[in-house]
Amino acid sequence: MGRREEQERARSAVTEVAPGVLRMELPIRMPGLGHVNMYALLDSDGAAVIDPGLPGPFAWRAVEDRLRRAGLRVRNVHTVLITHSHPDHFGGAARFQREAGSKIVAHSRFSLATSGAPAPEVSVDDLAAEQAQAEEEAAARDADEPWSGNTPWGGERPRPALRRRIQFRMMRWLGRRWLPEITDPVSHGDVVRLAGREMTALHTPGHTADHFCLHDPETGTLLAGDHVLPTITPHISGLSLTRDPLAAFFASLEEVAAIEGVRNVLPAHGHPFSDLRGRTVAIRRHHEERLSRVKEISHEIGRPATVTEFSRRLFRPRSWGSMAESETYAHLEHLRFAGEAERSVDPSGEPRFLAR
Ligand SMILES: [Zn+2]
Ligand SMILES: [Zn+2]
């Protein structure tokens, strides 16, 4: 499998992707992703930017560099829009607020609701694909080194997992410290007047409870954040504040698929694309397949089973762990709310699920 476009390393080139809209790639090092897109909407006062990258000096240098290439300075950024509460999307916002007095636009439910647990950006399947690719590359690179590859007892070397854990912990810490003050909260259906445009805010919960997209009907452009990505599936966490996050996500996919005249989708990772409806159908299909598989697993086990039992049959061993369990739980809960599974609690207090 080739590298996904969402995993490409950030380049410094700035490209115009819609009239007066610039795409800038900022570096991130997160599982499954190689860059985040910061978009700049130009007007006579300067620019509004969307999703200004991770917190910290490394990402900020890239922000300054990209703005400079576009003939802009930090102080020209009068507004920052944040599509949702993940650190690679809001990280630079507080600094814009401090240095440029920028207004901060986010959904009214914006919060670090997931701060108690690592919040991966992409689905466990896509992480596994990336991991397989990285292992192939590492194997090719380290072919002569006797200490490379798996441990003698067959397990994975622990370092990447530890590094990821530290990354998550860092981001949580930074997330709290670098939280911007939301000056202009938006709700579903609000008209956002920015940079000479009238755009509609669409609340699209699922990936996070506070995710929103922006639709510009005049140019047929949708600023999609992580809601609809070109080739990967956004992570849907079982640890969401939403009652049935997968149902919320499906409804949000339908919401954007139903918009007439979208010709240009600007995602937060990867390149612009045009077939919005096709992507929403493919993402939905991925989850429908997972739901069918969860039901099959329940029938195979033939008794109420724990989330861990389900996730170990749903995912290959390389993906086992809390993230896989979180996604599995979201799917099991979705079946339960749809009346297709029952939930019971065993004497130890652990929930068990049985599909009908
Ligand atoms: Zn995200
Ligand atoms: Zn993202």
Side-chain angles (χ1 to χ4, degrees), residues 84 86 88-89 120-121 207-208 211 226 269:
H84 65 292
H86 280 159
D88 49 325
H89 297 260
E121 284 277 79
H207 175 56
T208 62
H211 196 291
D226 280 356
H269 311 279

Side-chain angles (χ1 to χ4, degrees), residues 239-303:
L239 293 167
S240 169
L241 292 182
T242 312
R243 187 164 162 268
D244 180 351
L246 199 54
F249 184 54
F250 288 167
S252 302
L253 284 176
E254 265 165 44
E255 179 88 37
V256 297
I259 307 171
E260 292 294 331
V262 174
R263 297 183 297 275
N264 196 8
V265 183
L266 305 180
H269 311 279
H271 298 273
F273 59 97
S274 57
D275 185 12
L276 174 61
R277 203 156 302 177
R279 265 315 281 160
T280 61
V281 168
I283 292 170
R284 170 94 191 217
R285 196 186 306 128
H286 164 85
H287 288 290
E288 297 290 357
E289 283 166 11
R290 295 317 253 167
L291 289 166
S292 308
R293 182 70 195 119
V294 168
K295 281 196 270 188
E296 260 174 39
I297 289 170
S298 186
H299 296 145
E300 283 164 20
I301 297 176
R303 55 166 173 77

Side-chain angles (χ1 to χ4, degrees), residues 122-161:
V122 309
S123 74
V124 174
D125 291 307
D126 289 314
L127 289 178
E130 189 216 16
Q131 211 178 345
Q133 161 104 16
E135 278 166 16
E136 252 171 55
E137 284 170 6
R141 206 170 43 237
D142 303 339
D144 301 331
E145 296 173 10
W147 55 81
S148 68
N150 285 349
T151 58
W153 58 95
E156 230 176 282
R157 283 178 298 168
R159 226 169 63 186

Side-chain angles (χ1 to χ4, degrees), residues 84-266:
H84 65 292
S85 56
H86 280 159
D88 49 325
H89 297 260
F90 72 78
R95 187 143 182 193
F96 274 115
Q97 194 161 37
R98 272 201 308 275
E99 294 192 10
S102 317
K103 290 193 293 183
I104 309 287
V105 181
H107 189 263
S108 53
R109 287 185 69 182
F110 181 88
S111 81
L112 289 187
T114 47
S115 59
E121 284 277 79
V122 309
S123 74
V124 174
D125 291 307
D126 289 314
L127 289 178
E130 189 216 16
Q131 211 178 345
Q133 161 104 16
E135 278 166 16
E136 252 171 55
E137 284 170 6
R141 206 170 43 237
D142 303 339
D144 301 331
E145 296 173 10
W147 55 81
S148 68
N150 285 349
T151 58
W153 58 95
E156 230 176 282
R157 283 178 298 168
R159 226 169 63 186
L162 179 65
R163 200 170 58 216
R164 276 177 194 180
R165 283 205 299 278
I166 291 169
Q167 262 179 357
F168 279 131
R169 212 171 296 148
M170 280 284 291
M171 279 184 298
R172 249 154 59 206
W173 179 79
L174 289 168
R176 276 196 288 273
R177 192 164 162 256
W178 291 76
L179 207 56
E181 188 201 330
I182 310 302
T183 58
D184 293 62
V186 293
S187 301
H188 187 72
D190 283 358
V191 173
V192 178
R193 285 183 186 82
L194 254 190
R197 299 163 176 81
E198 288 206 346
M199 297 178 290
T200 309
L202 302 162
H203 184 212
T204 48
H207 175 56
T208 62
D210 59 9
H211 196 291
F212 86 104
C213 299
L214 270 179
H215 174 224
D216 178 4
E218 205 179 305
T219 60
T221 303
L222 181 75
L223 288 146
D226 280 356
H227 182 45
V228 188
L229 295 171
T231 76
I232 61 177
T233 313
H235 174 70
I236 305 296
S237 168
L239 293 167
S240 169
L241 292 182
T242 312
R243 187 164 162 268
D244 180 351
L246 199 54
F249 184 54
F250 288 167
S252 302
L253 284 176
E254 265 165 44
E255 179 88 37
V256 297
I259 307 171
E260 292 294 331
V262 174
R263 297 183 297 275
N264 196 8
V265 183
L266 305 180

